[in-house]
Every structure is written in structure tokens, then in C-alpha cells.
Amino acid sequence: AGGFYNVTTIDSKESNKLLGGLLASGFNEASCLSRYQSVFYRKPSPYKPSPYLISKLRNYEMLHKRCGPGTESYKEALKKLDQEHTDGFGECKYVVWVSFSGLGNRILSLASVFLYALLTDRVLLVDRGKDMDDLFCEPFPGMSWLLPLNFPLTDQFDGFNQDSSRCYGYMVENKVIDNEKTLSYIYLHLVHDYGDHDKMFFCEGDQTLLGKVPWLIVKTDNYFVPSLWLISGFDDELNKLFPEKATVFHHLGRYLFHPTNQVWGLVTRYYEAYLSHADEKIGIQVRVFDVGAGPFQHVMDQISSCTQKEKLLPEVDTLGERSHQVKTPKHKAVLVTSLNSGYSENLKTMYWEYPTTTGEIIGVHQPSQEGYQQTEKTMHNGKALAEMYLLSMTDNLVTSAWSTFGYVAQGLGGLKPWILYKPENRTAPDPACGQAMSMEPCFHAPPFYDCKAKTGIDTGKLVPHVRHCEDMSWGLKLV
Ligand code: GDP
């Protein structure tokens, strides 16, 4: 019986290690430790990937290997770019994700484009921008996801915008789309400032046309997954892939985004030093979009009010009236992430100066205080990624409204966060926070268009699983 027991534990350990089959086997473990080790730093996810998703990923990996950079198919496809139009299609079609915007936005948009690639049988290639290759391991076995540096259109990526002649929205608007001929490439502008014509991307008919184009180049800073569920033609497949609908980013994020060993070192050293010994870990992600230097009193008030009211952190006894001797007090570690150090200093001081009413011991930790956003610097982004990861390892999470940084943490962690609602006119809202309906990110700039009726429509009211977000009334999220 002992032997049998051992076998099953090894099996379940193996499957656990690969996140229930979500991850492919066959990687060199040492080259990317986070892929195998992150499971030891988090509670097991209650959400299991569907067998259909797993087989879809394994099929994708084969496609990627067959069509990836350097293959004959890739070379064939590159030749098509020499001409404006192309006859029929070769074996492989591609979607190129252009590196754009802050790290949280990039992670969410890349996951969206990958899902789009899965749905349309395209191969995803990643423009490495300044640092994508420093931050993330390769996710697909045996073939790179990075767009080769000599890709002929790379020089134009920065210049691509709504007015580019190959921008899909521009072509729709100017009625220059020729249904008889297939262009070799099209640029999709899905950036938050996009217009109604760009948003035609989310219509089934337009998808049929785009489906023929061998190269799609996408620039986006959005998590556009919720609107993919509203495209008939994709919804059946999505239901099969994700029977638990609000797990899309949770699974795709854990599948795609493995920090490199350098970033993983930042995560694990910090975790072991400050978090691993606590009985409970609370993450507080503070992102302030107000202009001017913080810390702001109203934000500090909001954090205390939220964490105490929701019983995430204890109140302090400022009067010294009660005795708080507890035999074995519970240790709570609070992980604060913010560009500004003031919020964690404030909490830390409060829990030093006064006892808690519960007797709990509260340690407050903040890994970095970078001051301002420095998107182009590698160590800066490495720290940002490490912090998103650390937040995802907590037991309870508080995030800031509108922040994709927080969305990444909640999704990777499988956590329904308490969202600090957005302050208006430098005043903390009441209530200060509320718990999210789901762990999914919010799509900040969704289309409001009924493609069939050709009129405006509230896309947050069409199906029960795509709703308006808690933190942004016009946004859409899966629940
Ligand atoms: P969003 O703007 O909150 O949606 O998140 P993004 O990640 O897209 O952009 C914000 C950027 O600012 C991050 O990528 C970091 O570069 C930086 N940043 C914001 N908050 C923090 C933080 O708490 N810690 C660190 N290290 N960087 C942060």
C-alpha cells in the first residue's frame, strides 16, 4: 500500500507542478525556475483548466513549433509581405503583438491577443520592445514566441496609428477595403483612444474578412477578452474552453507569464524574508491616478477604512483601555505596493504606536518605492513584475480602481480583491471599497455597438456573464 501511495503522490505532485496539465512538460527546469516553483508559493487554485483548454494549448504549441520563427512556413509567410496582396493562404497565419504601454497593460493585452490567436488559429509573435525578453521566459516548448529582430515591419510599429493607411479602422472609414483581394497585412489599432471604425474589429463579419489576412499587427493596451465573448462565432468555442467563464486570465496568465530567473529571484528572496512566516498575508496595491505628489491623506484614510471595515486588518486601540495579551498572537504580514512610500509608512507607524484590538501582530512591508512610472527601465519593470507576483501570493488582496497592475495580481492569484473605489475631488468614497464580483480584469474601452442592428447598444447588458465593472461603470468584465 505504501508503494501505491507514493505513486499517487508523485503523480499528483507532477500534475500540480504543471498546474493540472495547463503547462507543457519538457522544458529545462533550471532555465525558468518560476514555471515550476510558483506552485509552492501559492495556495492550490480551486479553478481547474478544462480538458478542452488543455488540448487546445497542446495543439497550439504544435502549430507554434511548425510556424515559428526560422521555419520554412515562417519564411514563406514573410515573402508575402513583399507584395501588397496575397493569393490564398499558406499554412500559417500570424498575429503580432506590439509592445506598448505600462507593464500591467502589456500583460493583459498580450493575454487577450493570445486568446485571439487561439480562436483564429493564428501564431502569436511578440515584439520584445525594450524588455519583454528580460522579464518573461519563453512559454511555448521548443520554439520562441519572440518576433525576430529583422522582421520587416518592426520599424513601422511606433508610427502605426489610427491614420495609417493599413489601419483596419482607417480602411473601413475610407471605404478602401476590397473584398476581392486579400491584403498581406493589416494593422489593428485597439488602443484605448480608438474610434468607432477600429471597433468594427469586434463584429463577426469583419472577423471573417480579417481571417484571410496572413499577418495581423495589433497595438493595444486593453484586456479586450470580454468583448470576444460577444462575437457570435467565438462564443461557442469560448464556452468550451472556459466552462468557468471568469477564469480566462487566471489560466492564460498562469500559462503564459513566467518571470525570468532574475525576476524570480526578486520574488522569492522577498517572499522568504518578509512573508513566508506570517499566519496570513494581506496585499494592498495602492495606485493613485491623481496629479501631484502623494501621499494623500484621503487615500490613507481610505486604506484604513477599507481594511478595518472588511476585517482584513484589525483596528488599533488608541486609548490604551483594554488589555491585549494573547498567548500565541497571530502574525499578519501586509505587503504594500505603491510608487510612493507614504502609505505603508503610515500603516507601519500606526501598528507600531498602538496595540491592535485583537492582539494580532501586524508587519508592514513595501518592496520598492520607485517614485514615478519608468516604463523603459528594465530593473524598474522587473520590480513591478515581481511585485505583481508577490501580491498574487497573498491570502487577501486590496487593489486600486482602474489599475491593470492590480488586475494582473488578482488574476494570477485567483483572488477576488477588495477594490478601493476611485476617489473624486480628493475625497475618499464611501464605502471605501467593495469586493469584486470576479477575479477577471476589466476591459476599459469596450465597444457599444450592435453589429447586426448597426446601432449603439449597452454591451454590458446582453449576456449574464459580461457585465459592467465594479471600478469603471463603462468597462466590461467577465463574471
Ligand atoms: P496601471 O497604470 O496601474 O494600469 O498599471 P501599468 O502596470 O500598466 O502601469 C503602471 C506602471 O507604473 C507599472 O508598470 C510600473 O512601471 C509602475 N508602477 C505603478 N505602481 C507600481 C508599484 O506599486 N510598484 C512598482 N514597482 N511599480 C509600479
Side-chain angles (χ1 to χ4, degrees):
F4 179 71
Y5 177 78
N6 272 341
V7 170
T8 51
T9 41
I10 290 167
D11 275 2
S12 72
K13 253 194 183 155
E14 272 304 305
S15 119
N16 207 0
K17 210 167 157 186
L18 298 174
L19 305 180
L22 186 69
L23 305 182
S25 54
F27 280 98
N28 173 345
E29 295 203 20
S31 69
C32 183
L33 296 168
S34 65
R35 187 196 312 276
Y36 301 97
Q37 292 182 357
S38 49
V39 65
F40 304 123
Y41 289 81
R42 292 197 184 111
K43 282 189 290 198
S45 171
Y47 312 101
K48 301 289 166 246
S50 70
Y52 191 70
L53 172 62
I54 291 173
S55 76
K56 188 98 180 173
L57 292 173
R58 293 299 90 81
N59 286 333
Y60 175 81
E61 287 158 5
M62 287 191 284
L63 176 76
H64 194 91
K65 211 165 176 175
R66 206 166 63 233
C67 303
T71 59
E72 281 311 311
S73 311
Y74 176 80
K75 288 177 197 156
E76 278 302 307
L78 269 194
K79 280 191 206 138
K80 296 186 182 156
L81 286 175
D82 296 340
Q83 272 140 33
E84 191 172 347
H85 295 98
T86 161
D87 50 343
F89 19 113
E91 194 198 3
C92 308
K93 293 179 296 173
Y94 300 82
V95 56
V96 175
W97 173 88
V98 176
S99 189
F100 178 72
S101 186
L103 186 58
N105 290 85
R106 277 191 272 162
I107 291 173
L108 298 181
S109 69
L110 182 47
S112 308
V113 174
F114 177 59
L115 181 59
Y116 180 69
L118 287 181
L119 292 170
T120 55
D121 298 315
R122 285 179 184 272
V123 174
L124 167 71
L125 293 177
V126 170
D127 160 38
R128 65 195 81 192
K130 289 276 185 299
D131 59 0
M132 288 304 285
D133 50 343
D134 294 324
L135 295 171
F136 300 103
C137 303
E138 292 280 352
F140 311 128
M143 179 59 72
S144 180
W145 72 339
L146 296 173
L147 185 70
L149 289 168
N150 61 1
F151 183 69
L153 300 174
T154 305
D155 294 345
Q156 297 178 49
F157 288 170
D158 275 349
F160 278 148
N161 62 37
Q162 279 176 289
D163 303 319
S164 304
S165 61
R166 282 297 185 91
C167 173
Y168 185 63
Y170 177 90
M171 290 192 294
V172 173
E173 186 171 11
N174 293 287
K175 303 190 171 61
V176 293
I177 289 182
D178 182 347
N179 283 313
E180 303 301 309
K181 289 189 193 148
T182 301
L183 287 166
S184 56
Y185 82 90
I186 281 183
Y187 165 65
L188 295 167
H189 187 80
L190 303 179
V191 179
H192 64 273
D193 67 355
Y194 63 161
D196 290 344
H197 295 97
D198 299 302
K199 291 177 187 170
M200 297 305 287
F201 169 79
F202 294 103
C203 292
E204 192 182 8
D206 299 68
Q207 280 301 327
T208 309
L209 189 146
L210 290 169
K212 299 185 192 132
V213 179
W215 289 93
L216 295 178
I217 316 289
V218 188
K219 200 189 282 184
T220 174
D221 51 359
N222 264 293
Y223 182 71
F224 60 75
V225 169
S227 291
L228 294 180
W229 286 73
L230 300 178
I231 303 178
S232 45
F234 289 159
D235 56 344
D236 275 353
E237 186 72 2
L238 284 166
N239 275 309
K240 283 200 275 175
L241 289 169
F242 301 98
E244 288 181 288
K245 298 181 173 66
T247 60
V248 176
F249 183 74
H250 180 64
H251 292 314
L252 295 186
R254 285 177 171 215
Y255 173 74
L256 287 176
F257 303 112
H258 306 286
T260 51
N261 287 351
Q262 191 203 10
V263 177
W264 189 239
L266 296 175
V267 174
T268 52
R269 285 189 295 276
Y270 201 90
Y271 186 91
E272 303 296 349
Y274 304 106
L275 305 176
S276 63
H277 305 293
D279 298 304
E280 199 181 320
K281 300 177 280 295
I282 315 287
I284 305 182
Q285 182 250 345
V286 187
R287 180 86 165 110
V288 178
F289 291 101
D290 281 338
V291 283
F296 298 103
Q297 187 61 45
H298 66 276
V299 178
M300 294 196 270
D301 295 344
Q302 192 181 3
I303 295 168
S304 323
S305 152
C306 169
T307 50
Q308 293 177 14
K309 202 163 160 210
E310 301 297 332
K311 305 246 177 289
L312 300 169
L313 290 175
E315 293 180 32
V316 290
D317 176 10
T318 50
L319 304 172
E321 282 173 339
R322 278 174 273 168
S323 160
H324 311 285
Q325 300 296 335
V326 177
K327 255 207 185 120
T328 42
K330 198 170 164 186
H331 279 247
K332 280 192 180 179
V334 184
L335 174 75
V336 179
T337 70
S338 173
L339 288 169
N340 190 296
S341 61
Y343 306 104
S344 69
E345 277 165 15
N346 182 261
L347 273 181
K348 189 180 226 164
T349 306
M350 179 174 86
Y351 286 113
W352 182 36
E353 290 181 348
Y354 303 103
T356 61
T357 54
T358 56
E360 287 165 305
I361 308 297
I362 310 297
V364 180
H365 311 281
Q366 179 171 353
S368 77
Q369 43 283 135
E370 296 277 285
Y372 57 97
Q373 184 169 338
Q374 306 160 54
T375 304
E376 303 296 315
K377 251 173 57 188
T378 306
M379 196 50 163
H380 173 83
N381 282 327
K383 286 181 179 169
L385 178 58
E387 287 174 33
M388 290 182 215
Y389 241 80
L390 284 162
L391 287 169
S392 80
M393 294 167 172
T394 59
D395 301 303
N396 287 306
L397 182 61
V398 177
T399 56
S400 296
W402 290 29
S403 175
T404 60
F405 196 99
Y407 296 159
V408 172
Q410 77 199 36
L412 291 177
L415 300 163
K416 277 187 203 140
W418 282 264
I419 305 172
L420 296 165
Y421 297 128
K422 198 147 183 300
E424 299 288 343
N425 304 321
R426 305 223 161 166
T427 314
D430 182 22
C433 65
Q435 193 169 14
M437 298 177 281
S438 76
M439 61 182 166
E440 274 284 296
C442 175
F443 180 8
H444 287 173
F448 296 106
Y449 186 66
D450 182 333
C451 302
K452 291 208 179 86
K454 296 194 162 59
T455 57
I457 195 169
D458 185 350
T459 43
K461 299 226 165 86
L462 297 177
V463 293
H465 52 278
V466 179
R467 297 225 207 122
H468 287 298
C469 310
E470 306 85 348
D471 57 335
M472 187 179 271
S473 58
W474 61 89
L476 293 184
K477 75 181 279 183
L478 284 164
V479 296

